[in-house]
Amino acid sequence: MRHDLDDTDRRIVAALLAAPRASWRRTAAALDLSERTVVRRAGPLLHDGTVRVTAVRHPRCFPRLVPLALRIRCRPQHIRTVAAALARRPDTVWVDILGDGNEISTVLFLQGPEARNTLLLRDLPATDAVTSWTSHTLLRVFPVAFGWTGGLLTQAETDALGLRPPTPPPGPLALDDTDHALIQALCADGRATYTDLARRARTTPLAARRRTERLIGRAVRLATEVDLALLGIGADALLWITVAPHALDATAHALSGNPQVRFTAATTGPANLLAAVAATDLEALYRLFTETLDGLPHITALETTPILTTFKRAGLRYVQSDTGILR
């Protein structure tokens, strides 16, 4: 993994954040770079794992999935062990250590109510290192923030990438074995060629393309993962927000459209809106509070928990070391 990126690298990564499967030709045109430059810069970043593209399932398209966010308080001396164990679970989507080092935030896509009950009623109570937890079911994820670019691209550059307006999936799709194979292949490599996808799904490249275009945006969303510090992000936090119920939808849409907001979801639990934010520094985070949040009149309570370190994002594990994050 790289420990530094120059301005051109960062802009290419920002384009991948906004449009993970955009062709190198389209990316080059959007950024006013040569296609050769984009390929020469992006190829090594993808090859060495500095940048990874994956796919995340839309819970609304998989009725058996139970999307759950947990805030788990642990004994500080054991928190890395618990976080690593959660990251190894195939059903965790993200795992972060928060606050003062005694709390973990994790999002899980659990396979049905039985798996949820096993986790909450058996596994967590049996873990001595865990002292308490709160659970939040994700009721709706707002896709506006999925075009997040870290503020590194202009609106014109983002538009030139050919992004479709984000719309929530209308409901479950009828998926067959070929669809599930394509989803697994996209989770492994969100930029896999249609030839590679066809090989994994045992179909033709034309069929793989047609089915993949149908799946993206309805059954799965694409996600690009990178260490945010490489993009100049110095303040990474979760916001646990309480909003008046009648204004929840409007507030979530307004918040998720902010360029510093990476993720927004309506939830059950003590707070009813969860947002992940990324700012260049503490001053920028402060302005988010005093300018953006101050303009949303129906927020009645707010708790901010800084993210100290990440063990998993978008279903991809981060391997921790004493010298930093390795992948």
mmCIF file of all heavy atoms in Angstrom, residues 124-159:
data_model
loop_
_atom_site.group_PDB
_atom_site.id
_atom_site.type_symbol
_atom_site.label_atom_id
_atom_site.label_comp_id
_atom_site.label_asym_id
_atom_site.label_seq_id
_atom_site.Cartn_x
_atom_site.Cartn_y
_atom_site.Cartn_z
ATOM 1 N N LEU A 124 -22.762 -11.902 21.822
ATOM 2 C CA LEU A 124 -22.283 -10.726 22.545
ATOM 3 C C LEU A 124 -22.327 -10.918 24.066
ATOM 4 O O LEU A 124 -21.355 -10.590 24.764
ATOM 5 C CB LEU A 124 -23.070 -9.486 22.128
ATOM 6 C CG LEU A 124 -22.744 -8.929 20.736
ATOM 7 C CD1 LEU A 124 -23.657 -7.744 20.409
ATOM 8 C CD2 LEU A 124 -21.283 -8.507 20.634
ATOM 9 N N PRO A 125 -23.432 -11.439 24.637
ATOM 10 C CA PRO A 125 -23.422 -11.648 26.092
ATOM 11 C C PRO A 125 -22.338 -12.617 26.559
ATOM 12 O O PRO A 125 -21.882 -12.527 27.706
ATOM 13 C CB PRO A 125 -24.823 -12.224 26.371
ATOM 14 C CG PRO A 125 -25.666 -11.753 25.246
ATOM 15 C CD PRO A 125 -24.762 -11.737 24.050
ATOM 16 N N ALA A 126 -21.916 -13.536 25.684
ATOM 17 C CA ALA A 126 -20.904 -14.525 26.080
ATOM 18 C C ALA A 126 -19.479 -14.013 25.922
ATOM 19 O O ALA A 126 -18.534 -14.716 26.275
ATOM 20 C CB ALA A 126 -21.077 -15.801 25.254
ATOM 21 N N THR A 127 -19.308 -12.801 25.409
ATOM 22 C CA THR A 127 -17.968 -12.242 25.181
ATOM 23 C C THR A 127 -17.572 -11.385 26.376
ATOM 24 O O THR A 127 -18.114 -10.289 26.577
ATOM 25 C CB THR A 127 -17.944 -11.407 23.886
ATOM 26 O OG1 THR A 127 -18.421 -12.208 22.796
ATOM 27 C CG2 THR A 127 -16.533 -10.932 23.581
ATOM 28 N N ASP A 128 -16.619 -11.871 27.179
ATOM 29 C CA ASP A 128 -16.244 -11.179 28.413
ATOM 30 C C ASP A 128 -15.716 -9.777 28.167
ATOM 31 O O ASP A 128 -15.885 -8.879 28.999
ATOM 32 C CB ASP A 128 -15.188 -11.996 29.163
ATOM 33 C CG ASP A 128 -15.759 -13.283 29.749
ATOM 34 O OD1 ASP A 128 -16.995 -13.333 29.942
ATOM 35 O OD2 ASP A 128 -14.982 -14.218 30.003
ATOM 36 N N ALA A 129 -15.058 -9.563 27.023
ATOM 37 C CA ALA A 129 -14.469 -8.252 26.742
ATOM 38 C C ALA A 129 -15.517 -7.196 26.435
ATOM 39 O O ALA A 129 -15.231 -5.998 26.481
ATOM 40 C CB ALA A 129 -13.490 -8.362 25.570
ATOM 41 N N VAL A 130 -16.748 -7.610 26.114
ATOM 42 C CA VAL A 130 -17.828 -6.681 25.778
ATOM 43 C C VAL A 130 -18.573 -6.310 27.052
ATOM 44 O O VAL A 130 -19.016 -7.183 27.802
ATOM 45 C CB VAL A 130 -18.789 -7.314 24.757
ATOM 46 C CG1 VAL A 130 -20.023 -6.434 24.558
ATOM 47 C CG2 VAL A 130 -18.078 -7.543 23.429
ATOM 48 N N THR A 131 -18.721 -4.999 27.291
ATOM 49 C CA THR A 131 -19.406 -4.543 28.499
ATOM 50 C C THR A 131 -20.845 -4.105 28.244
ATOM 51 O O THR A 131 -21.705 -4.234 29.118
ATOM 52 C CB THR A 131 -18.629 -3.381 29.148
ATOM 53 O OG1 THR A 131 -18.522 -2.300 28.203
ATOM 54 C CG2 THR A 131 -17.232 -3.833 29.557
ATOM 55 N N SER A 132 -21.143 -3.574 27.052
ATOM 56 C CA SER A 132 -22.514 -3.174 26.711
ATOM 57 C C SER A 132 -22.576 -2.883 25.218
ATOM 58 O O SER A 132 -21.547 -2.794 24.542
ATOM 59 C CB SER A 132 -22.941 -1.931 27.502
ATOM 60 O OG SER A 132 -22.154 -0.810 27.144
ATOM 61 N N TRP A 133 -23.795 -2.728 24.715
ATOM 62 C CA TRP A 133 -23.958 -2.382 23.311
ATOM 63 C C TRP A 133 -25.337 -1.796 23.077
ATOM 64 O O TRP A 133 -26.247 -1.965 23.883
ATOM 65 C CB TRP A 133 -23.772 -3.608 22.397
ATOM 66 C CG TRP A 133 -24.780 -4.696 22.610
ATOM 67 C CD1 TRP A 133 -25.996 -4.840 22.008
ATOM 68 C CD2 TRP A 133 -24.667 -5.794 23.530
ATOM 69 N NE1 TRP A 133 -26.644 -5.958 22.479
ATOM 70 C CE2 TRP A 133 -25.851 -6.565 23.410
ATOM 71 C CE3 TRP A 133 -23.672 -6.218 24.429
ATOM 72 C CZ2 TRP A 133 -26.064 -7.704 24.160
ATOM 73 C CZ3 TRP A 133 -23.884 -7.353 25.169
ATOM 74 C CH2 TRP A 133 -25.067 -8.083 25.036
ATOM 75 N N THR A 134 -25.473 -1.050 22.000
ATOM 76 C CA THR A 134 -26.771 -0.597 21.505
ATOM 77 C C THR A 134 -26.877 -1.022 20.048
ATOM 78 O O THR A 134 -25.873 -1.052 19.323
ATOM 79 C CB THR A 134 -26.949 0.927 21.611
ATOM 80 O OG1 THR A 134 -25.894 1.585 20.898
ATOM 81 C CG2 THR A 134 -26.938 1.382 23.061
ATOM 82 N N SER A 135 -28.081 -1.368 19.612
ATOM 83 C CA SER A 135 -28.283 -1.818 18.238
ATOM 84 C C SER A 135 -29.212 -0.862 17.506
ATOM 85 O O SER A 135 -30.153 -0.308 18.084
ATOM 86 C CB SER A 135 -28.843 -3.235 18.206
ATOM 87 O OG SER A 135 -30.140 -3.274 18.765
ATOM 88 N N HIS A 136 -28.944 -0.675 16.229
ATOM 89 C CA HIS A 136 -29.721 0.203 15.365
ATOM 90 C C HIS A 136 -29.984 -0.541 14.054
ATOM 91 O O HIS A 136 -29.043 -0.823 13.303
ATOM 92 C CB HIS A 136 -28.956 1.497 15.039
ATOM 93 C CG HIS A 136 -28.440 2.230 16.239
ATOM 94 N ND1 HIS A 136 -28.941 3.450 16.635
ATOM 95 C CD2 HIS A 136 -27.445 1.919 17.118
ATOM 96 C CE1 HIS A 136 -28.282 3.858 17.720
ATOM 97 N NE2 HIS A 136 -27.372 2.943 18.017
ATOM 98 N N THR A 137 -31.214 -0.858 13.769
ATOM 99 C CA THR A 137 -31.540 -1.450 12.479
ATOM 100 C C THR A 137 -31.549 -0.348 11.423
ATOM 101 O O THR A 137 -32.140 0.723 11.633
ATOM 102 C CB THR A 137 -32.917 -2.129 12.513
ATOM 103 O OG1 THR A 137 -32.905 -3.163 13.502
ATOM 104 C CG2 THR A 137 -33.260 -2.741 11.160
ATOM 105 N N LEU A 138 -30.863 -0.599 10.289
ATOM 106 C CA LEU A 138 -30.837 0.383 9.209
ATOM 107 C C LEU A 138 -32.152 0.277 8.429
ATOM 108 O O LEU A 138 -32.410 -0.722 7.765
ATOM 109 C CB LEU A 138 -29.649 0.136 8.282
ATOM 110 C CG LEU A 138 -28.265 0.150 8.929
ATOM 111 C CD1 LEU A 138 -27.189 0.031 7.861
ATOM 112 C CD2 LEU A 138 -28.050 1.403 9.764
ATOM 113 N N LEU A 139 -32.967 1.306 8.529
ATOM 114 C CA LEU A 139 -34.276 1.293 7.872
ATOM 115 C C LEU A 139 -34.169 1.678 6.404
ATOM 116 O O LEU A 139 -34.859 1.123 5.553
ATOM 117 C CB LEU A 139 -35.225 2.260 8.581
ATOM 118 C CG LEU A 139 -35.493 1.974 10.061
ATOM 119 C CD1 LEU A 139 -36.356 3.081 10.657
ATOM 120 C CD2 LEU A 139 -36.168 0.615 10.231
ATOM 121 N N ARG A 140 -33.317 2.629 6.104
ATOM 122 C CA ARG A 140 -33.131 3.075 4.721
ATOM 123 C C ARG A 140 -31.768 3.737 4.591
ATOM 124 O O ARG A 140 -31.385 4.577 5.409
ATOM 125 C CB ARG A 140 -34.225 4.058 4.305
ATOM 126 C CG ARG A 140 -34.029 4.622 2.893
ATOM 127 C CD ARG A 140 -35.227 5.408 2.421
ATOM 128 N NE ARG A 140 -36.397 4.558 2.273
ATOM 129 C CZ ARG A 140 -37.576 4.993 1.821
ATOM 130 N NH1 ARG A 140 -37.730 6.271 1.502
ATOM 131 N NH2 ARG A 140 -38.597 4.165 1.709
ATOM 132 N N VAL A 141 -31.035 3.335 3.559
ATOM 133 C CA VAL A 141 -29.751 3.959 3.237
ATOM 134 C C VAL A 141 -29.991 4.950 2.113
ATOM 135 O O VAL A 141 -30.628 4.626 1.105
ATOM 136 C CB VAL A 141 -28.704 2.899 2.827
ATOM 137 C CG1 VAL A 141 -27.411 3.577 2.383
ATOM 138 C CG2 VAL A 141 -28.439 1.953 3.993
ATOM 139 N N PHE A 142 -29.495 6.172 2.278
ATOM 140 C CA PHE A 142 -29.729 7.228 1.293
ATOM 141 C C PHE A 142 -28.549 7.288 0.335
ATOM 142 O O PHE A 142 -27.414 7.546 0.752
ATOM 143 C CB PHE A 142 -29.941 8.564 1.999
ATOM 144 C CG PHE A 142 -31.195 8.581 2.827
ATOM 145 C CD1 PHE A 142 -31.190 8.088 4.119
ATOM 146 C CD2 PHE A 142 -32.383 9.040 2.291
ATOM 147 C CE1 PHE A 142 -32.351 8.071 4.876
ATOM 148 C CE2 PHE A 142 -33.552 9.028 3.040
ATOM 149 C CZ PHE A 142 -33.529 8.542 4.342
ATOM 150 N N PRO A 143 -28.806 7.057 -0.954
ATOM 151 C CA PRO A 143 -27.702 6.858 -1.901
ATOM 152 C C PRO A 143 -27.058 8.128 -2.417
ATOM 153 O O PRO A 143 -26.087 8.060 -3.167
ATOM 154 C CB PRO A 143 -28.384 6.109 -3.049
ATOM 155 C CG PRO A 143 -29.786 6.609 -3.029
ATOM 156 C CD PRO A 143 -30.117 6.830 -1.575
ATOM 157 N N VAL A 144 -27.565 9.299 -2.039
ATOM 158 C CA VAL A 144 -27.010 10.534 -2.589
ATOM 159 C C VAL A 144 -25.514 10.633 -2.332
ATOM 160 O O VAL A 144 -24.731 11.022 -3.188
ATOM 161 C CB VAL A 144 -27.743 11.760 -1.990
ATOM 162 C CG1 VAL A 144 -27.136 13.052 -2.515
ATOM 163 C CG2 VAL A 144 -29.225 11.698 -2.351
ATOM 164 N N ALA A 145 -25.065 10.216 -1.138
ATOM 165 C CA ALA A 145 -23.667 10.365 -0.768
ATOM 166 C C ALA A 145 -22.751 9.369 -1.472
ATOM 167 O O ALA A 145 -21.533 9.462 -1.326
ATOM 168 C CB ALA A 145 -23.512 10.212 0.756
ATOM 169 N N PHE A 146 -23.303 8.430 -2.241
ATOM 170 C CA PHE A 146 -22.451 7.432 -2.877
ATOM 171 C C PHE A 146 -21.580 8.032 -3.977
ATOM 172 O O PHE A 146 -20.672 7.379 -4.467
ATOM 173 C CB PHE A 146 -23.288 6.276 -3.429
ATOM 174 C CG PHE A 146 -23.956 5.455 -2.358
ATOM 175 C CD1 PHE A 146 -25.011 4.634 -2.665
ATOM 176 C CD2 PHE A 146 -23.525 5.530 -1.045
ATOM 177 C CE1 PHE A 146 -25.634 3.870 -1.687
ATOM 178 C CE2 PHE A 146 -24.139 4.781 -0.055
ATOM 179 C CZ PHE A 146 -25.199 3.955 -0.371
ATOM 180 N N GLY A 147 -21.855 9.258 -4.390
ATOM 181 C CA GLY A 147 -20.986 9.932 -5.354
ATOM 182 C C GLY A 147 -19.914 10.767 -4.693
ATOM 183 O O GLY A 147 -19.325 11.644 -5.325
ATOM 184 N N TRP A 148 -19.618 10.487 -3.443
ATOM 185 C CA TRP A 148 -18.652 11.262 -2.654
ATOM 186 C C TRP A 148 -17.273 11.232 -3.296
ATOM 187 O O TRP A 148 -16.781 10.176 -3.708
ATOM 188 C CB TRP A 148 -18.587 10.689 -1.234
ATOM 189 C CG TRP A 148 -17.694 11.437 -0.307
ATOM 190 C CD1 TRP A 148 -17.981 12.609 0.338
ATOM 191 C CD2 TRP A 148 -16.385 11.074 0.108
ATOM 192 N NE1 TRP A 148 -16.925 12.988 1.118
ATOM 193 C CE2 TRP A 148 -15.926 12.064 1.001
ATOM 194 C CE3 TRP A 148 -15.545 10.000 -0.204
ATOM 195 C CZ2 TRP A 148 -14.670 12.020 1.600
ATOM 196 C CZ3 TRP A 148 -14.291 9.948 0.387
ATOM 197 C CH2 TRP A 148 -13.865 10.951 1.272
ATOM 198 N N THR A 149 -16.625 12.413 -3.389
ATOM 199 C CA THR A 149 -15.292 12.499 -4.003
ATOM 200 C C THR A 149 -14.266 13.155 -3.089
ATOM 201 O O THR A 149 -13.170 13.495 -3.547
ATOM 202 C CB THR A 149 -15.348 13.302 -5.315
ATOM 203 O OG1 THR A 149 -15.703 14.671 -5.023
ATOM 204 C CG2 THR A 149 -16.349 12.705 -6.288
ATOM 205 N N GLY A 150 -14.602 13.338 -1.820
ATOM 206 C CA GLY A 150 -13.655 13.965 -0.910
ATOM 207 C C GLY A 150 -13.388 15.426 -1.211
ATOM 208 O O GLY A 150 -12.405 15.994 -0.733
ATOM 209 N N GLY A 151 -14.258 16.048 -2.015
ATOM 210 C CA GLY A 151 -14.059 17.446 -2.375
ATOM 211 C C GLY A 151 -12.925 17.671 -3.356
ATOM 212 O O GLY A 151 -12.505 18.814 -3.572
ATOM 213 N N LEU A 152 -12.432 16.601 -3.988
ATOM 214 C CA LEU A 152 -11.275 16.710 -4.868
ATOM 215 C C LEU A 152 -11.647 16.981 -6.325
ATOM 216 O O LEU A 152 -10.776 17.298 -7.130
ATOM 217 C CB LEU A 152 -10.444 15.422 -4.790
ATOM 218 C CG LEU A 152 -9.774 15.165 -3.441
ATOM 219 C CD1 LEU A 152 -9.205 13.756 -3.385
ATOM 220 C CD2 LEU A 152 -8.667 16.196 -3.200
ATOM 221 N N LEU A 153 -12.925 16.830 -6.669
ATOM 222 C CA LEU A 153 -13.362 17.064 -8.033
ATOM 223 C C LEU A 153 -14.391 18.189 -8.065
ATOM 224 O O LEU A 153 -15.162 18.371 -7.116
ATOM 225 C CB LEU A 153 -13.988 15.802 -8.638
ATOM 226 C CG LEU A 153 -13.122 14.554 -8.722
ATOM 227 C CD1 LEU A 153 -13.884 13.445 -9.444
ATOM 228 C CD2 LEU A 153 -11.794 14.825 -9.402
ATOM 229 N N THR A 154 -14.402 18.930 -9.164
ATOM 230 C CA THR A 154 -15.441 19.937 -9.359
ATOM 231 C C THR A 154 -16.735 19.243 -9.767
ATOM 232 O O THR A 154 -16.748 18.082 -10.155
ATOM 233 C CB THR A 154 -15.031 20.926 -10.452
ATOM 234 O OG1 THR A 154 -14.966 20.238 -11.715
ATOM 235 C CG2 THR A 154 -13.669 21.552 -10.154
ATOM 236 N N GLN A 155 -17.821 19.995 -9.699
ATOM 237 C CA GLN A 155 -19.099 19.426 -10.121
ATOM 238 C C GLN A 155 -19.067 19.075 -11.599
ATOM 239 O O GLN A 155 -19.624 18.048 -12.023
ATOM 240 C CB GLN A 155 -20.234 20.418 -9.842
ATOM 241 C CG GLN A 155 -21.622 19.838 -10.082
ATOM 242 C CD GLN A 155 -21.905 18.633 -9.196
ATOM 243 O OE1 GLN A 155 -21.787 18.708 -7.981
ATOM 244 N NE2 GLN A 155 -22.283 17.514 -9.804
ATOM 245 N N ALA A 156 -18.389 19.887 -12.401
ATOM 246 C CA ALA A 156 -18.302 19.601 -13.840
ATOM 247 C C ALA A 156 -17.537 18.304 -14.090
ATOM 248 O O ALA A 156 -17.914 17.505 -14.964
ATOM 249 C CB ALA A 156 -17.622 20.767 -14.558
ATOM 250 N N GLU A 157 -16.462 18.074 -13.339
ATOM 251 C CA GLU A 157 -15.699 16.838 -13.492
ATOM 252 C C GLU A 157 -16.530 15.630 -13.068
ATOM 253 O O GLU A 157 -16.504 14.586 -13.724
ATOM 254 C CB GLU A 157 -14.404 16.921 -12.683
ATOM 255 C CG GLU A 157 -13.383 17.896 -13.263
ATOM 256 C CD GLU A 157 -12.214 18.135 -12.341
ATOM 257 O OE1 GLU A 157 -12.380 18.009 -11.103
ATOM 258 O OE2 GLU A 157 -11.127 18.478 -12.837
ATOM 259 N N THR A 158 -17.247 15.784 -11.978
ATOM 260 C CA THR A 158 -18.103 14.691 -11.517
ATOM 261 C C THR A 158 -19.186 14.384 -12.543
ATOM 262 O O THR A 158 -19.458 13.221 -12.861
ATOM 263 C CB THR A 158 -18.734 15.045 -10.161
ATOM 264 O OG1 THR A 158 -17.698 15.335 -9.207
ATOM 265 C CG2 THR A 158 -19.569 13.902 -9.632
ATOM 266 N N ASP A 159 -19.805 15.429 -13.090
ATOM 267 C CA ASP A 159 -20.845 15.231 -14.108
ATOM 268 C C ASP A 159 -20.282 14.533 -15.343
ATOM 269 O O ASP A 159 -20.955 13.700 -15.960
ATOM 270 C CB ASP A 159 -21.458 16.574 -14.507
ATOM 271 C CG ASP A 159 -22.266 17.210 -13.385
ATOM 272 O OD1 ASP A 159 -22.645 16.482 -12.438
ATOM 273 O OD2 ASP A 159 -22.510 18.429 -13.452
#
